[in-house]
Amino acid sequence: MKKILVINGSPLKQGNTAKILANMMKGISESSKACFHEHNLEEINFEGCNECMDCRDTFACSLDDDMSEILDELIEADYLIFGTPIFMWQITGQAKCFIDRLYPVISNDFETRLANIATITVYTQANPDKNAFINYIKHNNDLLDFLGLNVIDTLIVGGLSEQNPAENHMYALEKAYHMGKNLIK
């Protein structure tokens, strides 16, 4: 059974990003057997990296918080699905803090300690032009690739807001569903 780690970087547990991620997980569940570990970053207890550098020698973090559990799940994962809204031209603060805390996946010689985990990234945004922040999204995906989180696909959904929620974007929900359905072959 494949292990899938799902990270929701939105501060809203039931927001647009969560709805897109849920459709992706539905597609996965209907096409294969998988074990999901899902985390909403707004709900876990974790803080930013304190740059102690203890992780340079081992795959562990000196901070005693929920991120330790996520790191353990990540090392065992076959797939990562990472979703976040775009706030102020960037991923959310919660999502950025999560990525900063991935410091232990890089060894002293700047090699990844991960085994090329296949990763899907999901970016949601209010701007209807899905390419409005494409340079930043490419930069973020390149960073994930460097960490050993091999980005195999990206879904960008624009035009989302309280007045125009994910439920009104059937093409995006269907795309997420089919991406999930085709993830595990």
Side-chain angles (χ1 to χ4, degrees), residues 15-184:
N16 290 318
T17 303
K19 291 171 185 166
I20 300 292
L21 292 174
N23 253 36
M24 192 172 290
M25 288 186 290
K26 181 180 178 186
I28 295 167
S29 296
E30 290 181 5
S31 66
S32 61
K33 294 197 182 290
C35 175
F36 292 96
H37 293 272
E38 187 177 359
H39 297 280
N40 185 311
L41 297 179
E42 181 65 19
E43 296 180 333
I44 69 168
N45 173 34
F46 79 120
E47 58 188 80
C49 176
N50 65 8
E51 200 181 358
C52 69
M53 305 304 277
D54 287 351
C55 63
R56 301 315 329 129
D57 296 320
T58 183
F59 187 83
C61 182
S62 66
L63 295 174
D64 185 22
D65 61 17
D66 294 343
M67 192 63 189
S68 295
E69 176 185 336
I70 293 174
L71 286 170
D72 290 343
E73 292 170 2
L74 184 62
I75 200 82
E76 297 292 323
D78 297 298
Y79 299 93
L80 170 68
I81 300 172
F82 178 74
T84 179
I86 299 292
F87 286 1
M88 301 298 290
W89 293 53
Q90 299 179 32
I91 61 177
T92 64
Q94 296 89 332
K96 176 63 169 107
C97 189
F98 168 78
I99 289 176
D100 285 350
R101 288 291 301 278
L102 293 178
Y103 212 72
V105 307
I106 299 298
S107 67
N108 252 342
D109 58 0
F110 296 98
E111 296 294 325
T112 184
R113 292 180 168 126
L114 299 176
N116 264 339
I117 297 167
T119 300
I120 292 178
T121 54
V122 175
Y123 299 96
T124 60
Q125 61 192 45
N127 191 314
D129 177 4
K130 73 177 204 166
N131 292 315
F133 311 110
I134 196 68
N135 290 336
Y136 178 74
I137 289 168
K138 286 180 181 177
H139 168 80
N140 198 65
N141 284 351
D142 287 346
L143 170 60
L144 294 173
D145 283 337
F146 170 75
L147 295 173
L149 300 167
N150 181 31
V151 178
I152 60 171
D153 210 348
T154 297
L155 176 60
I156 304 168
V157 183
L160 297 172
S161 65
E162 283 184 36
Q163 297 76 24
N164 195 13
E167 298 87 45
N168 294 347
H169 295 262
M170 290 308 297
Y171 73 94
L173 293 172
E174 288 175 15
K175 175 78 173 169
Y177 173 82
H178 288 292
M179 286 172 77
K181 197 163 185 69
N182 296 320
L183 179 62
I184 301 172

